Amino acid sequence: KTLSVISNEMKDLARRARDRKLKPEEYQGGTTAVSNLGMFGIKDFAAVINPPHATILAVGAGEERAVVKGGEIRIATVMSVTLSTDHRAVDGALGAELLGAFKRIIENPMTMLV
């Protein structure tokens, strides 16, 4: 799906969720979830997996931090994410690959358009 299609579908789902018009099959039976406490200023946390999900991504707040780039100290906006996995369903190495892919995309969002 293109980014615009995903965006439109998410807006529709969010609107219908607020209006309490979602059907159970539209929010049940997933394999993963995202928990975002960053919007409340929470820096990092570990989210609890909700069965039947196999993973959940915990997204923390973006904040300015000192980082070293090219041997120099610079200010960058840094966000912490944590992936909880049910190791009966997802091997930890695969979870690490998922986080690596997420990192590459979030640091270079234009790659989502290609």
Side-chain angles (χ1 to χ4, degrees):
K1 294 181 182 181
T2 65
L3 210 49
S4 61
V5 168
I6 294 170
S7 175
N8 289 334
E9 288 178 1
M10 292 305 301
K11 287 175 186 172
D12 176 58
L13 286 169
R15 187 189 84 258
R16 290 188 295 123
R18 281 191 299 276
D19 295 341
R20 300 188 185 274
K21 304 238 182 194
L22 282 181
K23 300 172 189 165
E25 61 268 16
E26 293 179 297
Y27 59 84
Q28 292 177 340
T31 57
T32 192
V34 176
S35 181
N36 178 6
L37 294 181
M39 64 185 154
F40 299 112
I42 306 301
K43 181 177 168 181
D44 55 35
F45 65 103
V48 176
I49 301 167
N50 301 300
H53 296 155
T55 65
I56 187 166
L57 185 69
V59 180
E63 64 180 7
E64 288 187 338
R65 297 184 200 166
V67 297
V68 177
K69 278 198 169 188
E72 296 180 9
I73 298 175
R74 298 183 183 177
I75 302 299
T77 301
V78 179
M79 176 180 74
S80 295
V81 297
T82 305
L83 182 70
S84 299
T85 63
D86 180 341
H87 286 263
R88 296 171 297 179
V90 177
D91 181 78
L94 289 175
E97 283 184 40
L98 174 65
L99 281 179
F102 178 80
K103 180 180 184 289
R104 284 188 298 278
I105 290 170
I106 206 75
E107 289 179 347
N108 301 290
M110 293 301 286
T111 61
M112 290 188 287
L113 302 176
V114 190

XYZ file of all heavy atoms in Angstrom:
851
model
N 0.842 -1.187 0.000
C 0.000 0.000 0.000
C 0.878 1.238 0.000
O 1.940 1.240 0.615
C -0.892 0.025 1.246
C -1.917 -1.077 1.308
C -2.761 -0.959 2.550
C -3.747 -2.103 2.615
N -4.593 -2.002 3.783
N 0.398 2.263 -0.647
C 1.132 3.518 -0.623
C 0.903 4.205 0.723
O -0.047 3.892 1.453
C 0.657 4.462 -1.742
O -0.704 4.819 -1.488
C 0.811 3.824 -3.120
N 1.774 5.156 1.031
C 1.659 5.897 2.283
C 0.327 6.644 2.357
O -0.306 6.699 3.411
C 2.829 6.868 2.401
C 3.319 7.201 3.785
C 3.547 5.985 4.638
C 4.590 8.030 3.693
N -0.131 7.187 1.238
C -1.394 7.928 1.242
C -2.581 7.000 1.494
O -3.524 7.376 2.197
C -1.580 8.702 -0.063
O -1.620 7.830 -1.166
N -2.552 5.794 0.960
C -3.632 4.827 1.198
C -3.659 4.433 2.672
O -4.718 4.408 3.306
C -3.481 3.583 0.295
C -4.413 2.464 0.732
C -3.734 3.951 -1.157
N -2.485 4.149 3.230
C -2.403 3.790 4.653
C -2.903 4.946 5.505
O -3.688 4.748 6.454
C -0.965 3.403 5.042
C -0.560 2.111 4.337
C -0.830 3.262 6.558
C 0.915 1.768 4.449
N -2.505 6.161 5.172
C -2.931 7.341 5.920
C -4.452 7.492 5.900
O -5.079 7.720 6.936
C -2.274 8.595 5.345
O -2.761 9.745 5.979
N -5.050 7.357 4.732
C -6.509 7.478 4.617
C -7.227 6.380 5.387
O -8.234 6.643 6.050
C -6.933 7.474 3.150
C -6.540 8.747 2.436
O -6.391 9.799 3.052
N -6.351 8.657 1.130
N -6.712 5.154 5.313
C -7.334 4.048 6.053
C -7.231 4.279 7.557
O -8.185 4.015 8.299
C -6.681 2.721 5.669
C -7.041 2.252 4.274
C -6.357 0.953 3.881
O -5.594 0.383 4.697
O -6.576 0.508 2.740
N -6.075 4.765 8.026
C -5.893 5.020 9.462
C -6.825 6.137 9.942
O -7.391 6.057 11.031
C -4.437 5.368 9.768
C -3.489 4.206 9.578
S -3.932 2.729 10.521
C -3.900 3.363 12.166
N -6.976 7.190 9.152
C -7.885 8.282 9.519
C -9.317 7.763 9.633
O -10.049 8.123 10.558
C -7.803 9.413 8.495
C -6.520 10.202 8.592
C -6.415 11.235 7.476
C -5.065 11.911 7.494
N -4.863 12.777 6.328
N -9.708 6.913 8.679
C -11.050 6.335 8.717
C -11.231 5.453 9.947
O -12.247 5.554 10.651
C -11.307 5.519 7.439
C -12.646 4.814 7.471
O -13.688 5.497 7.618
O -12.661 3.558 7.376
N -10.249 4.589 10.226
C -10.333 3.721 11.413
C -10.384 4.549 12.695
O -11.182 4.252 13.600
C -9.150 2.763 11.455
C -9.178 1.609 10.461
C -7.823 0.912 10.429
C -10.281 0.624 10.810
N -9.560 5.586 12.797
C -9.537 6.430 13.996
C -10.883 7.133 14.191
O -11.409 7.189 15.307
C -8.409 7.446 13.907
N -11.433 7.671 13.095
C -12.727 8.351 13.193
C -13.826 7.394 13.662
O -14.582 7.687 14.585
C -13.107 8.955 11.831
C -14.371 9.825 11.901
C -14.896 10.249 10.533
N -15.725 9.187 9.979
C -15.383 8.307 9.053
N -14.206 8.334 8.506
N -16.216 7.379 8.632
N -13.857 6.211 13.056
C -14.887 5.242 13.436
C -14.661 4.695 14.842
O -15.613 4.393 15.548
C -14.975 4.124 12.401
C -15.575 4.655 11.091
C -15.885 3.607 10.060
N -14.695 2.945 9.568
C -14.496 1.628 9.623
N -15.396 0.829 10.119
N -13.376 1.111 9.138
N -13.402 4.605 15.287
C -13.119 4.163 16.660
C -13.636 5.200 17.653
O -14.263 4.851 18.667
C -11.620 3.941 16.858
N -13.387 6.493 17.374
C -13.899 7.556 18.257
C -15.418 7.538 18.314
O -16.012 7.803 19.352
C -13.415 8.926 17.775
C -11.997 9.248 18.156
C -11.658 10.701 17.882
N -11.777 11.072 16.471
C -10.829 10.886 15.560
N -9.675 10.347 15.899
N -11.009 11.245 14.299
N -16.037 7.216 17.176
C -17.504 7.173 17.112
C -18.079 5.839 17.578
O -19.287 5.629 17.508
C -17.972 7.440 15.671
C -17.639 8.839 15.194
O -17.377 9.720 16.044
O -17.628 9.055 13.956
N -17.178 4.938 18.025
C -17.571 3.593 18.488
C -18.339 2.809 17.415
O -19.315 2.139 17.684
C -18.383 3.670 19.778
C -17.608 4.325 20.915
C -18.345 4.205 22.220
N -17.678 4.919 23.269
C -16.701 4.444 24.020
N -16.246 3.241 23.805
N -16.174 5.169 24.983
N -17.841 2.911 16.181
C -18.495 2.245 15.053
C -17.639 1.155 14.422
O -17.979 0.639 13.369
C -18.854 3.284 13.986
C -19.700 4.408 14.512
C -20.978 4.536 13.806
C -21.678 5.743 14.445
N -22.976 5.915 14.194
N -16.499 0.818 15.046
C -15.666 -0.253 14.497
C -16.308 -1.608 14.746
O -16.895 -1.846 15.796
C -14.274 -0.235 15.138
C -13.283 0.796 14.652
C -11.963 0.625 15.394
C -13.061 0.712 13.169
N -16.158 -2.495 13.782
C -16.616 -3.867 13.945
C -15.506 -4.655 14.639
O -14.324 -4.377 14.429
C -16.917 -4.476 12.579
C -17.991 -3.742 11.816
C -18.097 -4.291 10.405
C -19.016 -3.401 9.587
N -18.889 -3.659 8.171
N -15.841 -5.658 15.447
C -14.807 -6.434 16.151
C -13.727 -6.992 15.229
O -12.554 -6.984 15.582
C -15.593 -7.555 16.823
C -16.946 -6.968 17.036
C -17.182 -6.071 15.844
N -14.094 -7.419 14.039
C -13.087 -7.981 13.133
C -12.096 -6.927 12.633
O -11.060 -7.256 12.072
C -13.731 -8.709 11.944
C -14.604 -7.849 11.064
C -16.082 -7.829 11.455
O -16.426 -8.232 12.571
O -16.886 -7.394 10.628
N -12.406 -5.650 12.862
C -11.498 -4.587 12.442
C -10.437 -4.265 13.490
O -9.481 -3.555 13.194
C -12.286 -3.315 12.108
C -13.158 -3.472 10.878
C -13.952 -2.234 10.576
O -14.797 -1.837 11.402
O -13.714 -1.656 9.501
N -10.589 -4.787 14.695
C -9.575 -4.512 15.725
C -9.144 -5.757 16.485
O -8.363 -5.675 17.420
C -10.053 -3.435 16.710
C -11.328 -3.756 17.450
C -11.304 -4.526 18.603
C -12.543 -3.285 17.005
C -12.463 -4.812 19.298
C -13.712 -3.570 17.693
C -13.666 -4.328 18.831
O -14.827 -4.613 19.509
N -9.582 -6.922 16.074
C -9.189 -8.160 16.743
C -8.343 -9.020 15.823
O -8.408 -8.910 14.603
C -10.430 -8.961 17.161
C -11.228 -8.307 18.253
C -12.479 -9.106 18.589
O -12.938 -9.923 17.800
N -13.031 -8.856 19.760
N -7.545 -9.907 16.433
C -6.831 -10.924 15.678
C -5.523 -10.494 15.045
O -4.979 -11.193 14.221
N -4.986 -9.357 15.431
C -3.724 -8.904 14.866
C -2.545 -9.714 15.378
O -2.670 -10.548 16.280
N -1.378 -9.470 14.791
C -0.171 -10.167 15.225
C 0.786 -9.253 15.972
O 1.693 -9.722 16.641
C 0.569 -10.773 14.018
O 0.870 -9.735 13.099
C -0.270 -11.841 13.347
N 0.597 -7.938 15.832
C 1.457 -6.990 16.521
C 0.664 -5.741 16.879
O -0.437 -5.530 16.365
C 2.691 -6.634 15.662
O 3.634 -5.928 16.477
C 2.320 -5.791 14.463
N 1.229 -4.944 17.756
C 0.576 -3.705 18.173
C 1.637 -2.648 18.434
O 2.825 -2.953 18.536
C -0.251 -3.943 19.442
N 1.193 -1.410 18.530
C 2.057 -0.289 18.870
C 1.449 0.420 20.065
O 0.253 0.686 20.096
C 2.189 0.703 17.688
C 3.017 1.918 18.086
C 2.785 0.019 16.474
N 2.275 0.693 21.059
C 1.848 1.454 22.231
C 2.681 2.725 22.275
O 3.901 2.673 22.350
C 2.052 0.625 23.507
O 1.615 1.364 24.630
N 2.016 3.887 22.189
C 2.717 5.159 22.135
C 2.428 5.961 23.395
O 1.370 6.567 23.521
C 2.280 5.947 20.897
C 2.946 7.298 20.806
O 3.825 7.634 21.587
N 2.527 8.089 19.843
N 3.359 5.939 24.329
C 3.252 6.796 25.503
C 4.122 8.033 25.344
O 4.131 8.914 26.199
C 3.635 6.036 26.777
C 2.698 4.886 27.165
C 3.175 4.226 28.450
C 1.269 5.365 27.318
N 4.836 8.115 24.230
C 5.673 9.269 23.953
C 4.880 10.554 23.908
O 5.355 11.613 24.317
N 3.640 10.476 23.434
C 2.814 11.677 23.348
C 2.477 12.241 24.725
O 2.029 13.373 24.851
C 1.553 11.405 22.548
C 0.624 10.400 23.153
S -0.724 10.093 22.004
C -1.185 8.467 22.494
N 2.726 11.442 25.773
C 2.517 11.898 27.145
C 3.840 12.259 27.824
O 3.888 12.446 29.034
C 1.797 10.821 27.961
C 0.435 10.478 27.418
C 0.208 9.236 26.857
C -0.601 11.398 27.443
C -1.032 8.908 26.341
C -1.848 11.081 26.930
C -2.074 9.835 26.366
N 4.925 12.303 27.029
C 6.223 12.678 27.559
C 6.999 11.541 28.200
O 8.053 11.766 28.783
N 6.523 10.311 28.074
C 7.219 9.150 28.632
C 8.423 8.843 27.751
O 8.285 8.637 26.543
C 6.289 7.920 28.718
C 5.010 8.244 29.485
C 7.026 6.727 29.304
C 5.215 8.706 30.897
N 9.606 8.814 28.353
C 10.853 8.632 27.596
C 10.990 7.208 27.053
O 11.264 7.004 25.884
C 12.040 8.978 28.489
C 13.376 8.862 27.838
C 14.460 9.297 28.812
C 15.817 8.914 28.309
N 16.876 9.294 29.238
N 10.831 6.214 27.900
C 10.877 4.826 27.447
C 10.126 3.946 28.432
O 9.949 4.293 29.590
C 12.305 4.322 27.222
C 13.199 4.481 28.439
O 12.708 4.335 29.572
O 14.395 4.736 28.258
N 9.668 2.802 27.936
C 8.895 1.867 28.743
C 8.852 0.526 28.032
O 9.222 0.431 26.868
C 7.473 2.397 29.004
C 6.617 2.516 27.762
C 5.646 1.565 27.490
C 6.784 3.569 26.872
C 4.856 1.676 26.345
C 6.006 3.693 25.737
C 5.040 2.741 25.473
N 8.426 -0.489 28.734
C 8.253 -1.821 28.145
C 6.760 -2.113 28.103
O 6.093 -2.102 29.136
C 8.979 -2.872 28.971
N 6.235 -2.334 26.911
C 4.812 -2.613 26.748
C 4.548 -4.110 26.928
O 5.387 -4.944 26.597
C 4.349 -2.160 25.369
N 3.382 -4.431 27.437
C 2.979 -5.826 27.664
C 2.213 -6.323 26.443
O 1.316 -5.642 25.941
C 2.102 -5.938 28.935
C 1.608 -7.356 29.128
C 2.880 -5.460 30.147
N 2.579 -7.502 25.987
C 1.930 -8.112 24.820
C 0.510 -8.518 25.178
O 0.258 -9.127 26.215
C 2.727 -9.341 24.346
C 4.147 -8.942 23.977
C 2.034 -10.015 23.167
C 5.084 -10.117 23.803
N -0.422 -8.167 24.292
C -1.827 -8.538 24.472
C -2.156 -9.701 23.542
O -2.160 -9.520 22.329
C -2.741 -7.352 24.128
C -2.452 -6.153 24.995
O -2.567 -6.221 26.199
N -2.072 -5.048 24.371
N -2.405 -10.905 24.075
C -2.756 -12.033 23.206
C -3.969 -11.668 22.345
O -4.848 -10.960 22.826
C -3.114 -13.142 24.182
C -2.385 -12.770 25.439
C -2.379 -11.269 25.474
N -3.999 -12.072 21.088
C -3.161 -13.050 20.412
C -1.919 -12.460 19.749
O -1.273 -13.128 18.956
C -4.089 -13.622 19.354
C -4.904 -12.438 18.933
C -5.116 -11.652 20.215
N -1.569 -11.207 20.047
C -0.391 -10.601 19.424
C 0.879 -11.348 19.801
O 0.971 -11.938 20.870
C -0.256 -9.136 19.837
C -1.388 -8.285 19.366
N -1.751 -7.130 19.979
C -2.259 -8.429 18.347
C -2.770 -6.582 19.361
N -3.104 -7.362 18.362
N 1.868 -11.262 18.916
C 3.171 -11.880 19.170
C 4.217 -10.832 19.533
O 5.241 -11.159 20.107
C 3.624 -12.668 17.944
N 3.942 -9.560 19.175
C 4.880 -8.477 19.479
C 4.119 -7.200 19.797
O 2.947 -7.053 19.435
C 5.820 -8.172 18.286
O 5.039 -7.682 17.193
C 6.614 -9.387 17.860
N 4.813 -6.285 20.471
C 4.286 -4.935 20.671
C 5.471 -3.983 20.705
O 6.495 -4.258 21.330
C 3.409 -4.823 21.941
C 2.753 -3.436 22.012
C 4.190 -5.153 23.190
C 1.616 -3.347 23.020
N 5.337 -2.884 19.978
C 6.378 -1.872 19.897
C 6.000 -0.719 20.821
O 4.940 -0.121 20.667
C 6.513 -1.364 18.461
C 7.642 -0.378 18.191
C 8.992 -1.088 18.313
C 7.484 0.242 16.813
N 6.861 -0.443 21.796
C 6.647 0.653 22.738
C 7.409 1.875 22.231
O 8.625 1.819 22.061
C 7.147 0.254 24.125
N 6.695 2.960 21.963
C 7.293 4.171 21.396
C 7.340 5.265 22.460
O 6.304 5.647 23.011
C 6.493 4.661 20.173
C 7.108 5.926 19.588
C 6.414 3.566 19.107
N 8.552 5.736 22.743
C 8.747 6.794 23.723
C 8.817 8.161 23.074
O 8.768 8.303 21.853
N 8.954 9.173 23.905
C 8.989 10.558 23.438
C 10.297 10.875 22.723
O 11.352 10.387 23.110
C 8.817 11.500 24.625
N 10.198 11.705 21.709
C 11.392 12.247 21.081
C 11.879 13.412 21.930
O 11.078 14.225 22.390
N 13.175 13.453 22.181
C 13.714 14.555 22.980
C 15.112 14.896 22.497
O 15.815 14.051 21.935
C 13.734 14.198 24.465
C 14.641 13.042 24.814
C 14.643 12.723 26.300
O 13.852 13.296 27.048
O 15.460 11.888 26.689
N 15.490 16.133 22.709
C 16.827 16.550 22.308
C 17.847 15.984 23.282
O 17.674 16.064 24.497
C 16.929 18.070 22.270
C 16.174 18.681 21.108
C 16.408 20.171 20.984
O 16.801 20.823 21.972
O 16.195 20.688 19.879
N 18.908 15.376 22.707
C 19.999 14.810 23.506
C 21.328 15.124 22.832
O 21.377 15.350 21.620
C 19.862 13.291 23.620
C 18.628 12.814 24.326
C 18.639 11.300 24.482
N 17.294 10.794 24.732
C 16.951 9.534 24.649
N 17.849 8.620 24.321
N 15.724 9.144 24.886
N 22.369 15.099 23.628
C 23.715 15.247 23.074
C 24.128 13.905 22.476
O 24.005 12.869 23.123
C 24.697 15.660 24.161
N 24.597 13.926 21.227
C 25.069 12.717 20.559
C 26.423 13.020 19.915
O 26.744 14.171 19.643
C 24.075 12.217 19.480
C 22.748 11.831 20.092
C 23.875 13.249 18.396
N 27.199 11.968 19.681
C 28.490 12.127 19.020
C 28.329 11.699 17.574
O 27.922 10.577 17.283
C 29.585 11.291 19.720
C 30.901 11.423 18.975
C 29.720 11.696 21.172
N 28.648 12.620 16.645
C 28.603 12.331 15.208
C 29.879 12.853 14.589
O 30.200 14.032 14.730
C 27.398 13.004 14.551
C 26.125 12.239 14.698
C 25.109 12.718 13.695
C 23.953 11.737 13.709
N 23.002 11.992 12.668
N 30.617 11.957 13.939
C 31.862 12.355 13.305
C 32.874 12.920 14.286
O 33.616 13.839 13.959
N 32.873 12.407 15.502
C 33.823 12.861 16.510
C 33.447 14.176 17.185
O 34.195 14.690 18.002
N 32.263 14.719 16.852
C 31.812 15.965 17.457
C 30.522 15.746 18.235
O 29.692 14.918 17.866
C 31.559 17.021 16.374
C 32.785 17.425 15.598
C 32.470 18.477 14.543
O 31.347 19.013 14.539
O 33.359 18.756 13.731
N 30.357 16.510 19.298
C 29.121 16.454 20.078
C 28.120 17.402 19.436
O 28.419 18.570 19.199
C 29.371 16.844 21.546
C 30.335 15.848 22.191
C 28.045 16.896 22.306
C 30.751 16.208 23.595
N 26.944 16.845 19.150
C 25.862 17.625 18.526
C 24.559 17.356 19.254
O 24.430 16.380 19.980
C 25.706 17.240 17.056
C 26.939 17.531 16.234
C 26.697 17.191 14.807
N 27.921 17.400 14.037
C 28.030 17.132 12.769
N 27.016 16.640 12.103
N 29.168 17.350 12.142
N 23.590 18.194 19.018
C 22.246 17.991 19.564
C 21.410 17.307 18.490
O 21.400 17.733 17.337
C 21.590 19.335 19.965
C 22.445 20.073 20.997
C 20.176 19.104 20.476
C 22.639 19.335 22.298
N 20.710 16.253 18.888
C 19.833 15.543 17.962
C 18.564 15.154 18.701
O 18.575 14.967 19.914
C 20.526 14.297 17.415
N 17.485 15.039 17.965
C 16.253 14.522 18.550
C 16.330 13.005 18.512
O 16.527 12.409 17.452
C 15.018 15.024 17.781
O 15.008 16.452 17.818
C 13.735 14.490 18.402
N 16.197 12.390 19.676
C 16.331 10.939 19.822
C 15.034 10.389 20.423
O 14.453 10.981 21.326
C 17.540 10.598 20.734
C 17.667 9.109 20.921
C 18.819 11.170 20.147
N 14.606 9.252 19.905
C 13.388 8.598 20.386
C 13.744 7.165 20.775
O 14.461 6.477 20.049
C 12.347 8.589 19.264
C 11.077 7.849 19.595
S 9.903 7.879 18.218
C 10.654 6.711 17.095
N 13.249 6.721 21.907
C 13.479 5.332 22.330
C 12.282 4.470 21.943
O 11.131 4.884 22.095
C 13.658 5.269 23.851
O 14.823 5.945 24.231
N 12.583 3.293 21.404
C 11.542 2.300 21.143
C 12.001 0.968 21.738
O 13.195 0.677 21.782
C 11.221 2.134 19.635
C 10.670 3.407 19.043
C 12.413 1.662 18.860
N 11.044 0.198 22.201
C 11.317 -1.123 22.769
C 10.362 -2.113 22.130
O 9.169 -1.831 22.014
C 11.090 -1.113 24.294
O 11.883 -0.086 24.878
C 11.446 -2.448 24.914
N 10.878 -3.257 21.709
C 10.039 -4.299 21.134
C 9.938 -5.456 22.116
O 10.963 -6.027 22.503
C 10.620 -4.800 19.806
C 9.791 -5.859 19.089
C 8.498 -5.253 18.549
C 10.598 -6.491 17.957
N 8.724 -5.761 22.531
C 8.485 -6.951 23.351
C 8.009 -8.049 22.413
O 7.162 -7.810 21.555
C 7.404 -6.682 24.406
O 7.801 -5.641 25.265
N 8.582 -9.246 22.565
C 8.194 -10.363 21.703
C 7.859 -11.590 22.530
O 8.449 -11.837 23.578
C 9.318 -10.743 20.712
O 10.457 -11.184 21.446
C 9.708 -9.588 19.833
N 6.905 -12.347 22.047
C 6.590 -13.650 22.619
C 7.498 -14.633 21.896
O 7.320 -14.913 20.708
C 5.123 -13.983 22.374
C 4.719 -15.332 22.948
O 5.611 -16.172 23.215
O 3.508 -15.565 23.117
N 8.522 -15.122 22.582
C 9.533 -15.959 21.936
C 9.001 -17.314 21.492
O 9.694 -18.038 20.777
C 10.757 -16.114 22.844
C 11.578 -14.866 22.893
N 12.685 -14.682 22.109
C 11.415 -13.718 23.598
C 13.189 -13.483 22.328
N 12.434 -12.876 23.232
N 7.788 -17.648 21.863
C 7.179 -18.866 21.323
C 6.775 -18.657 19.873
O 6.660 -19.606 19.105
C 5.951 -19.266 22.149
C 6.289 -19.644 23.587
C 5.049 -19.821 24.412
N 4.332 -18.534 24.489
C 3.186 -18.369 25.128
N 2.601 -19.375 25.729
N 2.609 -17.190 25.160
N 6.561 -17.393 19.490
C 6.108 -17.089 18.134
C 7.163 -16.370 17.298
O 7.206 -16.532 16.080
C 4.841 -16.237 18.190
N 7.993 -15.541 17.935
C 8.969 -14.731 17.206
C 10.330 -14.874 17.881
O 10.476 -14.584 19.068
C 8.558 -13.239 17.190
C 9.609 -12.397 16.500
C 7.201 -13.059 16.524
N 11.306 -15.315 17.119
C 12.666 -15.420 17.628
C 13.218 -14.019 17.879
O 12.947 -13.083 17.124
C 13.530 -16.151 16.591
C 14.943 -16.332 17.054
O 15.194 -17.233 17.868
O 15.800 -15.547 16.608
N 13.999 -13.862 18.940
C 14.564 -12.565 19.284
C 15.404 -11.958 18.180
O 15.432 -10.738 17.993
N 16.110 -12.802 17.408
C 16.926 -12.297 16.298
C 16.052 -11.653 15.227
O 16.408 -10.619 14.650
C 17.753 -13.429 15.698
N 14.878 -12.231 14.967
C 13.952 -11.639 14.001
C 13.413 -10.312 14.534
O 13.225 -9.352 13.783
C 12.801 -12.598 13.686
C 13.163 -13.814 12.859
C 11.962 -14.750 12.728
C 13.663 -13.404 11.495
N 13.168 -10.263 15.840
C 12.736 -9.016 16.459
C 13.786 -7.936 16.298
O 13.473 -6.777 16.020
N 15.047 -8.315 16.457
C 16.150 -7.358 16.274
C 16.211 -6.869 14.830
O 16.463 -5.682 14.585
C 17.471 -8.000 16.681
N 15.967 -7.756 13.879
C 15.937 -7.351 12.465
C 14.809 -6.351 12.222
O 14.979 -5.364 11.493
C 15.745 -8.562 11.557
C 16.988 -9.398 11.373
C 16.761 -10.530 10.390
O 16.083 -10.304 9.357
O 17.263 -11.630 10.648
N 13.655 -6.600 12.834
C 12.521 -5.693 12.699
C 12.873 -4.316 13.249
O 12.610 -3.293 12.605
C 11.288 -6.243 13.420
C 10.077 -5.316 13.475
C 9.528 -5.056 12.086
C 9.005 -5.891 14.372
N 13.499 -4.270 14.425
C 13.907 -2.990 14.999
C 14.942 -2.290 14.129
O 14.907 -1.062 13.971
C 14.458 -3.173 16.414
C 13.421 -3.342 17.512
C 14.108 -3.539 18.857
C 12.478 -2.166 17.569
N 15.848 -3.038 13.535
C 16.833 -2.452 12.638
C 16.172 -1.815 11.422
O 16.532 -0.702 11.011
N 15.191 -2.514 10.850
C 14.458 -1.970 9.700
C 13.672 -0.730 10.110
O 13.647 0.275 9.384
C 13.528 -3.035 9.124
N 13.044 -0.769 11.280
C 12.303 0.387 11.785
C 13.237 1.585 11.946
O 12.914 2.699 11.539
C 11.631 0.039 13.127
C 10.885 1.188 13.735
C 9.617 1.519 13.304
C 11.460 1.943 14.752
C 8.929 2.591 13.864
C 10.788 3.006 15.321
C 9.513 3.327 14.870
N 14.411 1.349 12.507
C 15.397 2.418 12.714
C 15.809 3.045 11.382
O 15.859 4.271 11.246
C 16.622 1.866 13.443
C 17.715 2.887 13.714
C 18.885 2.218 14.441
C 19.966 3.182 14.827
N 20.741 3.702 13.719
N 16.085 2.200 10.392
C 16.486 2.722 9.084
C 15.383 3.596 8.477
O 15.652 4.661 7.919
C 16.839 1.582 8.131
C 18.191 0.949 8.404
C 18.606 -0.034 7.330
N 17.702 -1.171 7.193
C 17.732 -2.261 7.978
N 18.629 -2.357 8.952
N 16.888 -3.247 7.786
N 14.147 3.162 8.601
C 13.031 3.913 8.016
C 12.759 5.197 8.792
O 12.572 6.256 8.195
C 11.764 3.035 7.944
C 11.952 1.945 6.884
C 10.533 3.880 7.637
C 10.876 0.886 6.889
N 12.747 5.124 10.115
C 12.422 6.310 10.914
C 13.510 7.372 10.787
O 13.243 8.571 10.859
C 12.145 5.926 12.390
C 11.222 6.946 13.067
C 13.395 5.777 13.199
C 9.804 6.864 12.695
N 14.759 6.941 10.569
C 15.854 7.897 10.390
C 15.909 8.446 8.969
O 16.509 9.487 8.732
C 17.195 7.242 10.755
C 17.347 7.010 12.242
C 18.655 6.329 12.615
O 19.359 5.810 11.712
O 18.964 6.306 13.815
N 15.278 7.756 8.026
C 15.245 8.181 6.620
C 13.830 7.990 6.072
O 13.581 7.110 5.245
C 16.241 7.362 5.779
C 17.641 7.506 6.284
O 18.239 8.562 6.162
N 18.176 6.458 6.882
N 12.874 8.796 6.528
C 11.471 8.572 6.175
C 11.163 8.648 4.680
O 10.190 8.059 4.228
C 10.715 9.660 6.950
C 11.732 10.646 7.371
C 13.029 9.939 7.420
N 12.014 9.333 3.910
C 11.760 9.405 2.472
C 11.844 8.040 1.811
O 11.273 7.842 0.736
C 12.760 10.369 1.809
C 12.559 11.822 2.238
S 10.920 12.464 1.855
C 11.060 12.657 0.099
N 12.505 7.078 2.458
C 12.579 5.732 1.864
C 11.209 5.066 1.808
O 11.018 4.132 1.050
C 13.556 4.832 2.650
O 13.090 4.708 4.011
C 14.962 5.396 2.641
N 10.254 5.554 2.602
C 8.906 4.993 2.547
C 8.183 5.377 1.256
O 7.191 4.768 0.894
C 8.068 5.450 3.744
C 8.512 4.845 5.057
S 7.383 5.206 6.396
C 7.715 6.933 6.680
N 8.673 6.413 0.591
C 8.013 6.893 -0.626
C 8.545 6.231 -1.868
O 8.002 6.408 -2.947
C 8.186 8.420 -0.725
C 7.637 9.225 0.446
C 7.961 10.690 0.253
C 6.136 9.015 0.591
N 9.621 5.468 -1.744
C 10.244 4.848 -2.924
C 9.809 3.409 -3.059
O 9.603 2.707 -2.137
C 11.791 4.904 -2.819
C 12.402 4.478 -4.141
C 12.244 6.288 -2.451
